[in-house]
Amino acid sequence: MAKSLFRRIVKTTLITINVIISVLFLIACLSPYMNPARWWLIGFTGLIVPYLLLVLIFFVFFWLIVKPRYVWIVLLTLALGWQQISVVFAWHPGAGFTKKRTESALRIVDWNVQSFNGLSKNASNTAADLARTIIKQEPDVICLQEFNTAANADNIALFKEQYWYHYFSKDYRRANGTYQSGCIIFSKFPIIDSGRMPYPVAESLIYADIVKGADTIRVYTTHLQSFKFQKADYNDLEKIKDQDEETIAASKSIMRKMKLAFQRRGIQAKMVRNEIDKSPYPSIICGDFNDVPNSYAYFHIKGERQDVFLKKGFGVGRTFIALAPTLRIDYILPTKQFTVKQFDMVDENQSDHIMLVTDLLLKK
């Protein structure tokens, strides 16, 4: 009898855990439809989707072996959340990337260069090193976030020899304008028009209309609101993990920053979508969205666009190397007027982000 009671308790406990995980996952599935500018708590659920999926997959196999009749709980949950699952993983093993490409293809590099120092411990890491790494990819268009230049360190000059055209957002200026930072677009091809749409706070969305042969293509890039974690915040995360006595204070600090970032990204995502829908040309938006694929920001900006990682990548595609192994927060999203020929992720330990490289072919 005691054994039977124990088995019933274990079964009830596991079913309860399964139901709780399923409910959390389904709540996360609402994130594309709930703007965190108002519903900021929903932003946190998107961050844990990959981990919820792993637990749900475990339960699929567990119930199939132990109690097959309960597997429907998980299968129904996964079916309802297919939209979220489809953007977490890419399934193109061995797709590869070749340096050689057709002349008609447009090669784009997107990279958050984190003010040319990132989190790398490589003491020899310089702006010139990053520029050489980028140019080595032989891109036609380069989109960089957290780019800076100054009177005594002209980082634009590092690209000018091969990239005659550029447009720079200049979101931040110091020292009477001699230091500037923001997003920048470099191009081998002529830029016939460009523009900047400032956000309510700090940064902006920029675009450049690039003429390649007989085609005009609009390229956007942006850097959405980050959590603005500093070294002290990473220490706070360690306190939370280690159950330090300062856990409550650390948690409040982290929560405040994350709440503000979710809210601002909700506002920015709406602004971006409104702007990119106006493009008179085939367009590509790329940049650091500072949010995962399960977020309102990603889904709202992406709309019907393609995600080059999902088209040609494999795995979860982490692009930010700190905090967690599942943070894909950098994207290249072309309209369906393009064919995605190939895609690669390049990690040279020169930034806290990983470089994205893709070849796109405009359909005729």
Side-chain angles (χ1 to χ4, degrees):
M1 185 176 177
K3 185 177 179 181
S4 176
L5 177 62
F6 175 76
R7 291 180 62 182
R8 284 200 302 272
I9 291 172
V10 170
K11 184 177 76 171
T12 302
T13 301
L14 289 171
I15 292 173
T16 301
I17 292 171
N18 193 166
V19 170
I20 290 171
I21 296 297
S22 296
V23 170
L24 279 174
F25 177 73
L26 292 175
I27 290 172
C29 291
L30 298 175
S31 58
Y33 312 103
M34 300 178 70
N35 190 333
R38 182 178 180 185
W39 308 97
W40 60 271
L41 273 172
I42 198 73
F44 290 94
T45 62
L47 297 173
I48 60 172
V49 164
Y51 306 102
L52 295 176
L53 275 173
L54 287 176
V55 177
L56 289 171
I57 291 169
F58 162 79
F59 272 114
V60 168
F61 292 102
F62 177 81
W63 291 129
L64 282 174
I65 295 170
V66 178
K67 284 283 183 180
R69 64 181 177 179
Y70 292 122
V71 78
W72 67 267
I73 301 173
V74 191
L75 295 181
L76 180 59
T77 302
L78 295 175
L80 290 172
W82 177 250
Q83 182 190 45
Q84 290 283 12
I85 299 169
S86 67
V87 298
V88 173
F89 304 106
W91 306 98
H92 304 280
F97 188 92
T98 59
K99 196 168 184 179
K100 186 177 180 181
R101 36 72 186 270
T102 62
E103 289 186 11
S104 53
L106 182 74
R107 178 165 293 177
I108 295 180
V109 157
D110 176 74
W111 199 9
N112 181 324
V113 293
Q114 219 277 317
S115 301
F116 293 105
N117 51 49
L119 298 179
S120 174
K121 296 179 181 178
N122 183 355
S124 65
N125 185 50
T126 66
D129 293 328
L130 269 79
R132 281 191 290 270
T133 298
I134 294 166
I135 293 169
K136 185 172 65 176
Q137 304 301 320
E138 299 182 2
D140 299 308
V141 178
I142 302 167
C143 296
L144 304 178
Q145 302 84 46
E146 296 195 50
F147 177 91
N148 62 39
T149 191
N152 61 347
D154 186 357
N155 292 327
I156 291 177
L158 298 172
F159 297 88
K160 268 190 171 179
E161 186 176 332
Q162 295 188 46
Y163 299 89
W164 293 358
Y165 311 95
H166 75 272
Y167 182 66
F168 188 20
S169 68
K170 302 177 184 176
D171 295 320
Y172 300 96
R173 304 181 190 211
R174 294 202 301 269
N176 297 320
T178 57
Y179 173 92
Q180 301 166 336
S181 67
C183 294
I184 193 165
I185 300 172
F186 290 100
S187 174
K188 284 185 176 179
F189 303 110
I191 294 176
I192 59 169
D193 193 15
S194 57
R196 174 180 181 267
M197 183 188 71
Y199 297 141
V201 179
E203 292 159 300
S204 62
L205 170 73
I206 62 173
Y207 74 85
D209 291 340
I210 295 166
V211 176
K212 183 178 185 295
D215 302 315
T216 301
I217 298 166
R218 179 165 289 187
V219 177
Y220 297 91
T221 194
T222 191
H223 182 232
L224 300 189
Q225 178 71 40
S226 74
F227 292 131
K228 298 291 184 185
F229 285 168
Q230 305 298 323
K231 185 177 180 180
D233 297 304
Y234 288 100
N235 291 336
D236 282 348
L237 288 169
E238 289 301 313
K239 291 175 185 176
I240 294 168
K241 185 170 63 176
D242 296 338
Q243 293 297 300
D244 188 276
E245 65 272 8
E246 299 176 17
T247 292
I248 295 176
S251 298
K252 286 181 178 179
S253 173
I254 296 296
M255 284 285 286
R256 279 195 297 269
K257 288 193 173 185
M258 294 182 75
K259 174 185 175 180
L260 180 63
F262 286 132
Q263 290 174 326
R264 287 184 177 174
R265 284 199 295 269
I267 294 168
Q268 292 167 350
K270 288 195 73 173
M271 294 176 68
V272 170
R273 178 60 184 272
N274 289 340
E275 187 66 24
I276 63 179
D277 282 350
K278 299 174 186 175
S279 175
Y281 309 114
S283 68
I284 304 145
I285 179 165
C286 54
D288 177 4
F289 293 2
N290 271 306
D291 226 333
V292 293
N294 309 103
S295 65
Y296 174 87
Y298 171 82
F299 273 99
H300 196 71
I301 294 172
K302 178 178 178 292
E304 297 299 318
R305 290 170 178 266
Q306 303 176 90
D307 182 330
V308 298
F309 169 74
L310 297 179
K311 285 287 183 180
K312 294 292 180 178
F314 179 72
V316 295
R318 179 181 70 163
T319 66
F320 184 64
I321 63 174
L323 296 178
T326 56
L327 294 179
R328 182 163 80 95
I329 61 175
D330 303 86
Y331 306 94
I332 302 177
L333 309 175
T335 57
K336 291 184 177 179
Q337 292 146 298
F338 294 91
T339 299
V340 182
K341 301 300 290 183
Q342 55 178 355
F343 168 77
D344 195 16
M345 304 177 72
V346 181
D347 183 6
E348 297 284 354
N349 192 32
Q350 293 175 313
S351 173
D352 54 353
H353 289 250
I354 293 173
M355 182 199 304
L356 309 184
V357 188
T358 190
D359 286 352
L360 303 175
L361 185 64
L362 187 61
K363 298 174 184 176
K364 301 297 184 180

